[in-house]
Amino acid sequence: QVQLAESGGGLVQAGGSRRLSCAASGRTFRYYAMGWFRQAPGKEREFVASVSLSGSSTYYADSVKGRFTISRDNVKNQVYLQMNSLKPEDTAVYYCAAGPGPSDSSLGYDYWGQGTQVTVSS
């Protein structure tokens, strides 16, 4: 099992950047693929990005390709989401998740963080 805790959310102007971090507990982090999801009020949770166990493979939702970058540091037990060129529609609670392999479905992940709010002003 792994416990996840996101940080780095906040208010940012459209066009700005923000980096989210997800800290994972213990020494199990390297056994999990990691994903970032987000959920806006009244909407379904949606896939943002995922990364393989080693960090060698990354995947992105079309809506964030070219703007967001997911990465991981298996030594520090951290996964990151670098968000650039932010848009108001990026406003959501962002969740870090861990699962057996990278997936664009929330069903592919077993563990979730508490979420961190990202608000992008127009």
Side-chain angles (χ1 to χ4, degrees):
Q1 297 186 3
V2 62
Q3 296 182 75
L4 308 172
E6 304 94 335
S7 63
L11 178 64
V12 60
Q13 291 185 344
S17 298
R18 197 84 177 184
R19 190 179 81 155
L20 305 183
S21 298
C22 176
S25 66
R27 55 190 64 180
T28 62
F29 178 74
R30 69 184 183 91
Y31 296 107
Y32 294 93
M34 302 297 297
W36 285 97
F37 288 77
R38 65 188 183 186
Q39 187 167 22
K43 296 186 177 181
E44 296 289 328
R45 181 170 51 190
E46 67 175 353
F47 169 75
V48 176
S50 63
V51 60
S52 62
L53 277 66
S54 67
S56 61
S57 299
T58 58
Y59 307 89
Y60 299 93
D62 288 341
S63 60
V64 305
K65 284 182 180 177
R67 300 190 298 120
F68 290 11
T69 302
I70 187 172
S71 62
R72 68 188 297 162
D73 186 331
N74 286 347
V75 175
K76 297 181 178 180
N77 285 191
Q78 298 261 15
V79 61
Y80 308 98
L81 185 68
Q82 178 65 48
M83 305 184 294
N84 299 326
S85 302
L86 283 162
K87 305 174 181 179
E89 49 262 47
D90 294 320
T91 296
V93 176
Y94 283 72
Y95 297 91
C96 178
S103 174
D104 62 357
S105 171
S106 62
L107 297 177
Y109 298 87
D110 302 309
Y111 305 100
W112 298 82
Q114 82 288 347
T116 186
Q117 176 71 45
V118 175
T119 302
V120 184
S121 62
S122 60

PDB file of all heavy atoms in Angstrom, residues 21-42:
ATOM      1  N   SER A  21       3.048  18.669  -6.514  1.00  0.00           N
ATOM      2  CA  SER A  21       3.870  17.577  -6.029  1.00  0.00           C
ATOM      3  C   SER A  21       2.996  16.562  -5.323  1.00  0.00           C
ATOM      4  O   SER A  21       1.972  16.906  -4.738  1.00  0.00           O
ATOM      5  CB  SER A  21       4.944  18.082  -5.065  1.00  0.00           C
ATOM      6  OG  SER A  21       5.831  18.975  -5.699  1.00  0.00           O
ATOM      7  N   CYS A  22       3.411  15.330  -5.376  1.00  0.00           N
ATOM      8  CA  CYS A  22       2.722  14.260  -4.676  1.00  0.00           C
ATOM      9  C   CYS A  22       3.768  13.453  -3.936  1.00  0.00           C
ATOM     10  O   CYS A  22       4.646  12.846  -4.560  1.00  0.00           O
ATOM     11  CB  CYS A  22       1.944  13.377  -5.655  1.00  0.00           C
ATOM     12  SG  CYS A  22       1.152  11.940  -4.898  1.00  0.00           S
ATOM     13  N   ALA A  23       3.680  13.461  -2.631  1.00  0.00           N
ATOM     14  CA  ALA A  23       4.607  12.713  -1.802  1.00  0.00           C
ATOM     15  C   ALA A  23       4.009  11.364  -1.453  1.00  0.00           C
ATOM     16  O   ALA A  23       2.862  11.284  -1.010  1.00  0.00           O
ATOM     17  CB  ALA A  23       4.931  13.497  -0.535  1.00  0.00           C
ATOM     18  N   ALA A  24       4.774  10.318  -1.664  1.00  0.00           N
ATOM     19  CA  ALA A  24       4.324   8.961  -1.382  1.00  0.00           C
ATOM     20  C   ALA A  24       5.043   8.410  -0.165  1.00  0.00           C
ATOM     21  O   ALA A  24       6.218   8.684   0.054  1.00  0.00           O
ATOM     22  CB  ALA A  24       4.566   8.057  -2.579  1.00  0.00           C
ATOM     23  N   SER A  25       4.319   7.628   0.594  1.00  0.00           N
ATOM     24  CA  SER A  25       4.876   7.064   1.811  1.00  0.00           C
ATOM     25  C   SER A  25       5.704   5.826   1.538  1.00  0.00           C
ATOM     26  O   SER A  25       5.497   5.117   0.547  1.00  0.00           O
ATOM     27  CB  SER A  25       3.752   6.719   2.786  1.00  0.00           C
ATOM     28  OG  SER A  25       2.939   5.677   2.266  1.00  0.00           O
ATOM     29  N   GLY A  26       6.624   5.564   2.429  1.00  0.00           N
ATOM     30  CA  GLY A  26       7.361   4.316   2.460  1.00  0.00           C
ATOM     31  C   GLY A  26       8.226   4.025   1.253  1.00  0.00           C
ATOM     32  O   GLY A  26       8.568   4.911   0.470  1.00  0.00           O
ATOM     33  N   ARG A  27       8.530   2.757   1.119  1.00  0.00           N
ATOM     34  CA  ARG A  27       9.400   2.292   0.053  1.00  0.00           C
ATOM     35  C   ARG A  27       8.654   1.512  -1.025  1.00  0.00           C
ATOM     36  O   ARG A  27       9.268   0.765  -1.786  1.00  0.00           O
ATOM     37  CB  ARG A  27      10.521   1.431   0.641  1.00  0.00           C
ATOM     38  CG  ARG A  27      10.044   0.274   1.491  1.00  0.00           C
ATOM     39  CD  ARG A  27      11.216  -0.365   2.222  1.00  0.00           C
ATOM     40  NE  ARG A  27      11.835   0.570   3.166  1.00  0.00           N
ATOM     41  CZ  ARG A  27      12.878   0.282   3.932  1.00  0.00           C
ATOM     42  NH1 ARG A  27      13.426  -0.921   3.873  1.00  0.00           N
ATOM     43  NH2 ARG A  27      13.379   1.190   4.751  1.00  0.00           N
ATOM     44  N   THR A  28       7.361   1.677  -1.093  1.00  0.00           N
ATOM     45  CA  THR A  28       6.546   0.988  -2.082  1.00  0.00           C
ATOM     46  C   THR A  28       6.298   1.820  -3.329  1.00  0.00           C
ATOM     47  O   THR A  28       5.760   1.319  -4.307  1.00  0.00           O
ATOM     48  CB  THR A  28       5.189   0.568  -1.500  1.00  0.00           C
ATOM     49  OG1 THR A  28       4.450   1.723  -1.099  1.00  0.00           O
ATOM     50  CG2 THR A  28       5.389  -0.336  -0.292  1.00  0.00           C
ATOM     51  N   PHE A  29       6.687   3.061  -3.298  1.00  0.00           N
ATOM     52  CA  PHE A  29       6.402   3.984  -4.382  1.00  0.00           C
ATOM     53  C   PHE A  29       6.864   3.456  -5.736  1.00  0.00           C
ATOM     54  O   PHE A  29       6.141   3.550  -6.732  1.00  0.00           O
ATOM     55  CB  PHE A  29       7.047   5.340  -4.082  1.00  0.00           C
ATOM     56  CG  PHE A  29       6.859   6.362  -5.168  1.00  0.00           C
ATOM     57  CD1 PHE A  29       5.638   6.973  -5.367  1.00  0.00           C
ATOM     58  CD2 PHE A  29       7.925   6.718  -5.986  1.00  0.00           C
ATOM     59  CE1 PHE A  29       5.466   7.926  -6.351  1.00  0.00           C
ATOM     60  CE2 PHE A  29       7.763   7.675  -6.972  1.00  0.00           C
ATOM     61  CZ  PHE A  29       6.533   8.277  -7.156  1.00  0.00           C
ATOM     62  N   ARG A  30       8.036   2.897  -5.794  1.00  0.00           N
ATOM     63  CA  ARG A  30       8.607   2.475  -7.063  1.00  0.00           C
ATOM     64  C   ARG A  30       7.865   1.317  -7.712  1.00  0.00           C
ATOM     65  O   ARG A  30       8.103   1.010  -8.879  1.00  0.00           O
ATOM     66  CB  ARG A  30      10.084   2.112  -6.890  1.00  0.00           C
ATOM     67  CG  ARG A  30      10.344   0.853  -6.092  1.00  0.00           C
ATOM     68  CD  ARG A  30      11.838   0.654  -5.906  1.00  0.00           C
ATOM     69  NE  ARG A  30      12.145  -0.576  -5.204  1.00  0.00           N
ATOM     70  CZ  ARG A  30      12.372  -1.743  -5.796  1.00  0.00           C
ATOM     71  NH1 ARG A  30      12.317  -1.836  -7.118  1.00  0.00           N
ATOM     72  NH2 ARG A  30      12.650  -2.806  -5.069  1.00  0.00           N
ATOM     73  N   TYR A  31       6.967   0.681  -6.989  1.00  0.00           N
ATOM     74  CA  TYR A  31       6.198  -0.438  -7.516  1.00  0.00           C
ATOM     75  C   TYR A  31       4.903   0.003  -8.181  1.00  0.00           C
ATOM     76  O   TYR A  31       4.142  -0.846  -8.663  1.00  0.00           O
ATOM     77  CB  TYR A  31       5.879  -1.436  -6.404  1.00  0.00           C
ATOM     78  CG  TYR A  31       7.095  -2.100  -5.809  1.00  0.00           C
ATOM     79  CD1 TYR A  31       7.537  -1.764  -4.538  1.00  0.00           C
ATOM     80  CD2 TYR A  31       7.791  -3.063  -6.525  1.00  0.00           C
ATOM     81  CE1 TYR A  31       8.656  -2.375  -3.988  1.00  0.00           C
ATOM     82  CE2 TYR A  31       8.905  -3.677  -5.984  1.00  0.00           C
ATOM     83  CZ  TYR A  31       9.337  -3.328  -4.712  1.00  0.00           C
ATOM     84  OH  TYR A  31      10.436  -3.940  -4.172  1.00  0.00           O
ATOM     85  N   TYR A  32       4.649   1.279  -8.212  1.00  0.00           N
ATOM     86  CA  TYR A  32       3.396   1.783  -8.750  1.00  0.00           C
ATOM     87  C   TYR A  32       3.599   2.740  -9.898  1.00  0.00           C
ATOM     88  O   TYR A  32       4.499   3.588  -9.870  1.00  0.00           O
ATOM     89  CB  TYR A  32       2.606   2.503  -7.653  1.00  0.00           C
ATOM     90  CG  TYR A  32       2.125   1.606  -6.553  1.00  0.00           C
ATOM     91  CD1 TYR A  32       2.888   1.419  -5.404  1.00  0.00           C
ATOM     92  CD2 TYR A  32       0.897   0.950  -6.656  1.00  0.00           C
ATOM     93  CE1 TYR A  32       2.457   0.594  -4.389  1.00  0.00           C
ATOM     94  CE2 TYR A  32       0.452   0.128  -5.643  1.00  0.00           C
ATOM     95  CZ  TYR A  32       1.239  -0.049  -4.511  1.00  0.00           C
ATOM     96  OH  TYR A  32       0.797  -0.869  -3.504  1.00  0.00           O
ATOM     97  N   ALA A  33       2.735   2.586 -10.884  1.00  0.00           N
ATOM     98  CA  ALA A  33       2.574   3.646 -11.854  1.00  0.00           C
ATOM     99  C   ALA A  33       1.781   4.767 -11.183  1.00  0.00           C
ATOM    100  O   ALA A  33       1.008   4.516 -10.255  1.00  0.00           O
ATOM    101  CB  ALA A  33       1.827   3.144 -13.086  1.00  0.00           C
ATOM    102  N   MET A  34       1.980   5.972 -11.638  1.00  0.00           N
ATOM    103  CA  MET A  34       1.337   7.111 -11.009  1.00  0.00           C
ATOM    104  C   MET A  34       0.526   7.889 -12.030  1.00  0.00           C
ATOM    105  O   MET A  34       0.878   7.970 -13.204  1.00  0.00           O
ATOM    106  CB  MET A  34       2.374   8.030 -10.372  1.00  0.00           C
ATOM    107  CG  MET A  34       3.253   7.348  -9.330  1.00  0.00           C
ATOM    108  SD  MET A  34       2.307   6.752  -7.896  1.00  0.00           S
ATOM    109  CE  MET A  34       1.690   8.304  -7.238  1.00  0.00           C
ATOM    110  N   GLY A  35      -0.540   8.456 -11.543  1.00  0.00           N
ATOM    111  CA  GLY A  35      -1.376   9.265 -12.406  1.00  0.00           C
ATOM    112  C   GLY A  35      -1.852  10.519 -11.709  1.00  0.00           C
ATOM    113  O   GLY A  35      -1.887  10.596 -10.479  1.00  0.00           O
ATOM    114  N   TRP A  36      -2.172  11.492 -12.519  1.00  0.00           N
ATOM    115  CA  TRP A  36      -2.828  12.709 -12.041  1.00  0.00           C
ATOM    116  C   TRP A  36      -4.212  12.788 -12.663  1.00  0.00           C
ATOM    117  O   TRP A  36      -4.367  12.609 -13.880  1.00  0.00           O
ATOM    118  CB  TRP A  36      -2.040  13.966 -12.399  1.00  0.00           C
ATOM    119  CG  TRP A  36      -0.814  14.194 -11.572  1.00  0.00           C
ATOM    120  CD1 TRP A  36       0.468  13.874 -11.892  1.00  0.00           C
ATOM    121  CD2 TRP A  36      -0.761  14.824 -10.287  1.00  0.00           C
ATOM    122  NE1 TRP A  36       1.321  14.257 -10.895  1.00  0.00           N
ATOM    123  CE2 TRP A  36       0.595  14.846  -9.886  1.00  0.00           C
ATOM    124  CE3 TRP A  36      -1.725  15.370  -9.439  1.00  0.00           C
ATOM    125  CZ2 TRP A  36       1.008  15.387  -8.677  1.00  0.00           C
ATOM    126  CZ3 TRP A  36      -1.310  15.909  -8.227  1.00  0.00           C
ATOM    127  CH2 TRP A  36       0.033  15.911  -7.860  1.00  0.00           C
ATOM    128  N   PHE A  37      -5.181  13.047 -11.828  1.00  0.00           N
ATOM    129  CA  PHE A  37      -6.550  13.258 -12.263  1.00  0.00           C
ATOM    130  C   PHE A  37      -7.034  14.585 -11.714  1.00  0.00           C
ATOM    131  O   PHE A  37      -6.440  15.142 -10.790  1.00  0.00           O
ATOM    132  CB  PHE A  37      -7.457  12.124 -11.779  1.00  0.00           C
ATOM    133  CG  PHE A  37      -7.235  10.823 -12.484  1.00  0.00           C
ATOM    134  CD1 PHE A  37      -6.139  10.030 -12.168  1.00  0.00           C
ATOM    135  CD2 PHE A  37      -8.111  10.384 -13.460  1.00  0.00           C
ATOM    136  CE1 PHE A  37      -5.923   8.827 -12.816  1.00  0.00           C
ATOM    137  CE2 PHE A  37      -7.908   9.180 -14.117  1.00  0.00           C
ATOM    138  CZ  PHE A  37      -6.812   8.405 -13.792  1.00  0.00           C
ATOM    139  N   ARG A  38      -8.109  15.069 -12.264  1.00  0.00           N
ATOM    140  CA  ARG A  38      -8.683  16.297 -11.744  1.00  0.00           C
ATOM    141  C   ARG A  38     -10.197  16.225 -11.802  1.00  0.00           C
ATOM    142  O   ARG A  38     -10.780  15.511 -12.606  1.00  0.00           O
ATOM    143  CB  ARG A  38      -8.182  17.519 -12.519  1.00  0.00           C
ATOM    144  CG  ARG A  38      -8.621  17.574 -13.979  1.00  0.00           C
ATOM    145  CD  ARG A  38      -7.914  18.709 -14.700  1.00  0.00           C
ATOM    146  NE  ARG A  38      -8.352  18.851 -16.075  1.00  0.00           N
ATOM    147  CZ  ARG A  38      -7.812  19.675 -16.949  1.00  0.00           C
ATOM    148  NH1 ARG A  38      -6.792  20.459 -16.584  1.00  0.00           N
ATOM    149  NH2 ARG A  38      -8.275  19.743 -18.186  1.00  0.00           N
ATOM    150  N   GLN A  39     -10.815  16.986 -10.933  1.00  0.00           N
ATOM    151  CA  GLN A  39     -12.264  17.014 -10.881  1.00  0.00           C
ATOM    152  C   GLN A  39     -12.742  18.423 -10.585  1.00  0.00           C
ATOM    153  O   GLN A  39     -12.396  19.001  -9.558  1.00  0.00           O
ATOM    154  CB  GLN A  39     -12.787  16.047  -9.817  1.00  0.00           C
ATOM    155  CG  GLN A  39     -14.295  15.898  -9.820  1.00  0.00           C
ATOM    156  CD  GLN A  39     -14.759  14.726  -8.979  1.00  0.00           C
ATOM    157  OE1 GLN A  39     -14.059  14.261  -8.091  1.00  0.00           O
ATOM    158  NE2 GLN A  39     -15.943  14.224  -9.274  1.00  0.00           N
ATOM    159  N   ALA A  40     -13.518  18.950 -11.495  1.00  0.00           N
ATOM    160  CA  ALA A  40     -14.126  20.252 -11.322  1.00  0.00           C
ATOM    161  C   ALA A  40     -15.495  20.069 -10.677  1.00  0.00           C
ATOM    162  O   ALA A  40     -16.107  19.006 -10.795  1.00  0.00           O
ATOM    163  CB  ALA A  40     -14.257  20.962 -12.662  1.00  0.00           C
ATOM    164  N   PRO A  41     -16.007  21.087 -10.007  1.00  0.00           N
ATOM    165  CA  PRO A  41     -17.317  20.973  -9.360  1.00  0.00           C
ATOM    166  C   PRO A  41     -18.403  20.540 -10.338  1.00  0.00           C
ATOM    167  O   PRO A  41     -18.536  21.109 -11.422  1.00  0.00           O
ATOM    168  CB  PRO A  41     -17.575  22.381  -8.836  1.00  0.00           C
ATOM    169  CG  PRO A  41     -16.208  22.951  -8.618  1.00  0.00           C
ATOM    170  CD  PRO A  41     -15.384  22.395  -9.744  1.00  0.00           C
ATOM    171  N   GLY A  42     -19.160  19.533  -9.957  1.00  0.00           N
ATOM    172  CA  GLY A  42     -20.253  19.062 -10.779  1.00  0.00           C
ATOM    173  C   GLY A  42     -19.849  18.229 -11.973  1.00  0.00           C
ATOM    174  O   GLY A  42     -20.705  17.862 -12.784  1.00  0.00           O
TER     175      GLY A  42
END
